[in-house]
């Protein structure tokens, strides 16, 4: 409609439409033209102007909504960006394309419409209002986007994928008349058990909504029987999932129904130990899904997402052979930048980092535990035997009930020990990194990092076992010494960002390491100088030898010429 010279000016001058002809969106007459601004059929310039005027408030409203959403994200510390598995860097999509964050579970808006029974269960389980990570993640998942979410520990990441996953299953059943599945993968069985427990609470009272827990430590036949009875949500560890669906017939029958796949604790799940298993699971589900148009939606969650992890996420998305774009959501200013830590400590935890030599650590721990017999304390150590011995020492020296949990315990023993800890029958629980990931142990008041882990990401997860939830606060005590010096350069900016006091010995250790590096650099320079001197000497010796040979040859040649002259003179 760029050239308006031949366009009817007034609608009254336009005829009525014939059967099968387009109809004007404004007056109902023959829609002979198309409005460029709204892509609607119109009969005249008069109706075109009405279309444009009618659309203008909507455009202004969208712009205002986008501005309000950006302001809300800034206030809540939410950073949102988009990317694609087919290329690195941000997508060209603007912020207005991102789903609007919601502030109330019962809020009626385009991006969030949760089933009534799910809303009832949320209220019954204490979900009064969404946390920041839930505000942005739930709308994105309901809009069927792939997401990569990074948020501090204890901020509600589990619910941020369970809520929309359950809603998606119900929506597919109601609108598409199709039974679909959600699959959640977790690195350890304790975390998987916890996720399934939360899912059951959210699904209570909803007809034909069942879960299946596929983890080690429980009989395989029981888990297979559960699958055969029909489920809508599977929570599994990668090893047991592959065991059931690879080694037993009939398991493949339900995999084509998997519509949503959640990878919790993605940083450890895409580590060397789990990476091949995750790739195999995704490949199996995608292969069995066949040519389903919508493909499989992938959701990745962790408190620590580095650039390397994001690169692996893109690799997994490429393997799905479906939608490869994803939205990255970072909460509390968590942003991955080259050369900078992408991790953030939980602001609800009061941190204390103490320099302590190995011989003194135990006595300092005993001193810390004095008067805390009525408080729950979770202590992390680096070895299984260390956990057992420390628990025994605490009981003997402090008179406080203490138990140890690690991978050598059976599943039944682990559950019994966790129950005794939660009920304060044993207020102190000494653990290896078995409980470091995602575990939402209620009312843990104190966390002690007795042996500093080998990675900064693990440290973030350890201290995040306390201070979980909106109104919860906790204390974390961390022991460090010279054995941990290789991580001090990463630890210091993390602590300073959280406004945690850094022991002066840590700075001294870094300065000492800098001095050693300078000394090594000087030694290299000196060694290079010495090497150059030796090369020069060698060259000089060689040149001297060559000069001597030339001199000897010259003397010999001159003598020969004199002899020749004498010979010719005599002749």
């Amino acid at each position: 409609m760029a050239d308006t010279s031949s366009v009817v000016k007034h609608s009254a001058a336009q005829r009525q439409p014939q059967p099968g002809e387009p109809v004007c969106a404004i007056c109902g007459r023959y829609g002979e033209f198309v409005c460029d601004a709204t892509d609607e059929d119109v009969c005249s310039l008069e109706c075109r102007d009405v279309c444009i005027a009618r659309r203008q408030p909507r455009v202004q409203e969208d712009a205002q909504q986008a501005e309000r959403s950006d302001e809300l994200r800034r206030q809540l510390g939410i950073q949102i960006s988009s990317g694609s598995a087919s290329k690195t860097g941000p997508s060209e999509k603007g912020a207005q394309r991102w789903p609007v964050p919601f502030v109330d579970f019962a809020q009626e808006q385009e991006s969030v419409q949760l089933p009534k029974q799910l809303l009832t269960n949320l209220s019954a389980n204490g979900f009064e209002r969404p946390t920041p990570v839930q505000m942005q993640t739930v709308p994105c998942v309901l809009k069927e986007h792939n997401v990569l979410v990074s948020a501090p520990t204890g901020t509600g990441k589990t619910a941020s994928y369970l809520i929309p996953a359950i809603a998606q299953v119900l929506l597919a059943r109601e609108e598409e008349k199709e039974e679909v599945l959600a699959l959640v993968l977790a690195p350890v069985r304790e975390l998987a058990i916890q996720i399934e427990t939360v899912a059951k609470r959210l699904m209570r009272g909803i007809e034909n909504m069942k879960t299946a827990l596929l983890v080690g430590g429980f009989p395989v036949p029981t888990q297979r029987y559960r699958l055969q009875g029909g489920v809508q949500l599977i929570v599994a560890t990668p090893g047991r999932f592959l065991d059931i669906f690879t080694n037993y017939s009939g398991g493949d029958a339900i995999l084509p129904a998997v519509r949503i796949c959640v990878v919790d604790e993605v940083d450890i799940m895409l580590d060397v130990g789990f990476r091949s298993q995750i790739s195999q699971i995704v490949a199996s589900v995608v292969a069995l899904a066949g040519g389903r148009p919508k493909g499989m939606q992938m959701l990745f969650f962790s408190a620590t997402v580095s650039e390397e992890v994001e690169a692996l996420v893109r690799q997994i998305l490429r393997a799905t052979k479906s939608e490869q774009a994803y939205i990255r959501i970072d909460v509390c200013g968590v942003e991955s930048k080259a050369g900078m830590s992408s991790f953030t400590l939980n602001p609800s935890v009061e941190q204390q980092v103490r320099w302590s030599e190995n011989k003194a650590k135990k006595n300092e721990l005993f001193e810390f535990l004095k008067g805390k017999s009525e408080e729950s304390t979770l202590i992390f150590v680096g070895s299984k035997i260390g956990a057992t011995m420390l628990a025994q020492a605490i009981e003997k020296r402090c008179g406080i009930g203490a138990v140890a949990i690690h991978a050598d315990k059976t599943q039944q023993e682990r559950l019994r020990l966790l129950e005794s800890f939660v009920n304060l029958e044993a207020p102190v629980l000494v653990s290896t990194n078995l409980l470091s990931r995602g575990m939402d142990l209620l009312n843990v008041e104190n966390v002690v990092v007795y042996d500093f882990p080998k990675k900064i990401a693990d440290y973030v997860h350890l201290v995040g076992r306390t201070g979980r939830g909106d109104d919860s606060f906790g204390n974390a005590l961390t022991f460090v010494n010279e054995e941990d010096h290789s991580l001090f350069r990463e630890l210091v900016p993390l602590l300073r960002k959280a406004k945690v006091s850094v022991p002066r010995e840590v700075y001294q250790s870094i300065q000492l390491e800098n001095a050693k590096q300078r000394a090594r650099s000087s030694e290299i320079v000196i060694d290079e100088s010495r090497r150059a001197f030796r090369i020069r000497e060698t060259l000089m010796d060689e040149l001297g030898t060559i000069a001597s040979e030339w001199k000897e040859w010259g003397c010999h040649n001159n003598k020969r010429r004199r002899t020749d002259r004498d010979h010719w003179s005599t002749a």
Side-chain angles (χ1 to χ4, degrees):
M1 204 171 176
D3 182 11
T4 60
S5 58
S6 59
V7 178
V8 177
K9 293 184 178 180
H10 302 287
S11 62
Q14 185 60 270
R15 64 177 175 82
Q16 294 297 323
Q18 299 295 325
E21 289 183 335
V23 178
C24 177
I26 302 300
C27 67
R29 289 181 170 82
Y30 172 42
E32 185 178 359
F33 314 101
V34 177
C35 176
D36 294 335
T38 64
D39 201 30
E40 293 177 293
D41 294 321
V42 292
C43 67
S44 60
L45 293 176
E46 180 184 3
C47 288
R48 181 205 63 176
D49 294 340
V50 173
C51 277
I52 295 175
R54 188 175 62 178
R55 179 179 180 271
Q56 195 65 29
R58 177 64 180 172
V59 173
Q60 294 175 353
E61 181 183 343
D62 290 345
Q64 292 172 357
Q65 179 62 62
E67 187 175 342
R68 287 195 297 269
S69 298
D70 289 342
E71 180 60 29
L72 178 61
R73 293 187 187 104
R74 281 193 292 270
Q75 292 175 359
L76 297 174
I78 300 173
Q79 296 177 351
I80 185 168
S81 58
S82 54
S84 173
S86 58
K87 62 179 180 179
T88 58
S91 170
E92 296 180 357
K93 291 183 178 181
Q96 66 273 14
R97 299 288 185 92
W98 294 320
V100 177
F102 75 114
V103 295
D104 189 348
F105 286 115
Q107 175 182 345
E108 289 289 339
Q109 67 177 56
E110 182 183 354
S111 58
V112 179
Q113 293 180 354
L114 300 177
K116 290 183 179 180
Q117 186 59 50
L118 180 56
L119 290 173
T120 301
N121 291 341
L122 286 169
S123 178
N125 285 278
F127 290 87
E128 298 177 359
R129 60 184 182 276
T131 63
V133 65
Q134 294 163 2
M135 289 180 185
Q136 186 61 72
T137 303
V138 172
C140 289
V141 177
L142 288 176
K143 286 294 184 180
E144 300 187 2
H145 292 287
N146 298 320
V147 297
L148 171 60
V149 180
S150 177
T153 55
T155 54
K157 292 188 293 295
T158 300
S160 68
Y161 60 74
L162 284 179
I163 292 171
I166 295 170
Q168 293 269 60
V169 171
L170 294 174
L171 188 65
R173 177 186 295 172
E174 180 180 344
E175 295 186 357
E176 303 175 22
K177 308 301 180 185
E178 181 184 5
E179 286 293 332
V180 301
L181 268 170
L183 169 64
V184 180
L185 299 172
V188 293
R189 65 185 73 168
E190 283 74 18
L191 178 56
I193 292 171
Q194 176 183 287
I195 293 170
E196 196 218 13
T197 301
V198 176
K200 283 182 174 179
R201 292 173 183 167
L202 296 179
M203 295 163 65
R204 184 173 297 149
I206 302 178
E207 188 177 358
N208 294 327
M209 288 291 285
K210 298 178 183 178
T211 65
L213 178 66
L214 309 182
V215 297
F218 296 101
V220 170
T222 304
Q223 296 175 356
R224 291 186 62 216
Y225 179 78
R226 180 73 174 177
L227 289 173
Q228 292 167 359
V231 296
Q232 286 68 44
L233 176 70
I234 298 176
V235 184
T237 52
R240 177 52 64 93
F241 183 91
L242 287 173
D243 183 31
I244 289 180
F245 287 96
T246 303
N247 299 329
Y248 298 94
S249 61
D252 292 351
I254 66 170
L255 286 185
V258 175
R259 178 73 62 83
I260 302 171
C261 180
V262 181
V263 182
D264 203 356
E265 303 297 345
V266 61
D267 56 328
I268 193 171
M269 291 288 269
L270 294 185
D271 204 350
V272 177
F274 288 105
R275 190 184 307 171
S276 61
Q277 293 180 332
I278 297 298
S279 299
Q280 187 177 348
I281 290 171
V282 171
S284 300
V285 174
V286 169
L288 291 168
R292 187 173 60 213
K294 289 191 176 181
M296 183 171 63
Q297 187 179 2
M298 296 292 300
L299 317 178
F300 304 92
F301 290 80
S302 183
T304 49
V305 176
S306 63
E307 291 181 347
E308 292 78 12
V309 170
E310 187 168 5
L312 291 171
V313 165
R314 288 195 290 266
Q315 183 178 334
I316 294 293
L317 286 174
R318 282 195 292 271
T320 63
K321 299 179 182 179
S322 57
E323 177 59 52
Q324 296 186 6
Y326 63 92
I327 293 178
R328 173 158 181 175
I329 301 169
D330 298 291
V331 179
C332 288
V334 182
E335 185 175 7
S336 178
K337 294 182 180 180
M340 295 183 63
S341 173
S342 60
F343 309 143
T344 297
L345 295 173
N346 189 340
S348 299
V349 179
E350 185 176 341
Q351 310 276 350
Q352 182 184 0
V353 179
R354 189 179 299 177
W355 184 277
S356 180
E357 301 299 338
N358 288 335
K359 292 182 179 180
K361 272 199 299 188
K362 193 175 291 185
N363 289 330
E364 291 195 38
L365 174 63
F366 295 155
E367 189 67 27
F368 174 79
L369 291 174
K370 280 185 178 179
K372 290 183 170 60
S373 59
E374 301 298 324
E375 299 178 11
S376 56
T377 302
L378 180 58
I379 303 173
F380 288 102
V381 297
S383 65
K384 291 177 282 190
I385 189 171
T388 302
M389 294 178 65
L390 187 59
Q392 293 172 351
I394 290 171
E395 280 198 317
K396 184 177 180 180
R397 289 285 300 274
C398 302
I400 301 176
V403 293
I405 186 170
H406 48 71
D408 284 350
K409 303 283 186 181
T410 65
Q411 187 60 44
Q412 287 71 24
E413 285 181 300
R414 296 187 203 178
L415 294 176
R416 179 179 56 80
L417 293 172
L418 285 173
E419 185 178 358
S420 66
F421 175 64
V422 171
N423 295 332
L424 287 181
E425 296 172 8
V428 176
L429 179 63
V430 186
S431 172
T432 57
N433 62 358
L434 185 72
L435 301 181
S436 65
R437 293 283 177 157
M439 289 299 296
D440 193 11
L441 298 172
L442 297 177
N443 302 321
V444 175
E445 296 165 275
N446 308 295
V447 164
V448 178
V449 182
Y450 189 80
D451 294 327
F452 201 82
K454 303 301 181 185
K455 296 180 181 179
I456 286 294
D458 293 336
Y459 167 69
V460 174
H461 285 274
L462 293 180
V463 296
R465 296 312 98 202
T466 184
R468 303 179 68 83
D470 286 342
D471 303 319
S472 299
F473 295 90
N475 303 296
L477 171 63
T478 302
F479 292 119
V480 296
N481 55 43
E482 190 58 35
E483 291 183 359
D484 313 308
H485 72 275
S486 61
L487 295 175
F488 286 165
R489 293 183 188 278
E490 295 179 77
L491 178 63
V492 168
L494 183 66
L495 296 177
R496 293 180 66 179
K497 184 164 61 173
K499 299 181 180 179
V500 178
S501 177
V502 181
R504 69 175 184 276
E505 291 89 349
V506 172
Y507 289 116
Q508 291 171 353
S509 177
I510 294 175
Q511 292 172 357
L512 179 61
E513 184 63 27
N514 290 339
K516 288 180 179 179
Q517 288 182 356
R518 287 194 297 270
R520 284 194 292 268
S521 299
S522 299
E523 289 176 1
I524 292 173
V525 172
I526 293 172
D527 288 343
E528 289 297 323
S529 299
R530 289 174 177 171
R531 181 170 174 270
F533 181 75
R534 287 195 297 269
I535 292 173
R536 180 174 176 274
E537 281 189 326
T538 303
L539 289 174
M540 291 299 293
D541 290 343
E542 291 177 355
L543 288 173
T545 302
I546 294 172
S548 177
E549 290 176 353
W550 271 101
K551 185 177 180 180
E552 183 179 349
W553 181 84
C555 292
H556 176 73
N557 197 38
N558 289 335
K559 183 178 179 181
R560 182 179 177 185
R561 283 199 296 269
R562 285 196 300 270
T563 303
D564 290 343
R565 282 200 304 270
D566 293 343
H567 172 74
W568 287 108
S569 298
T570 304

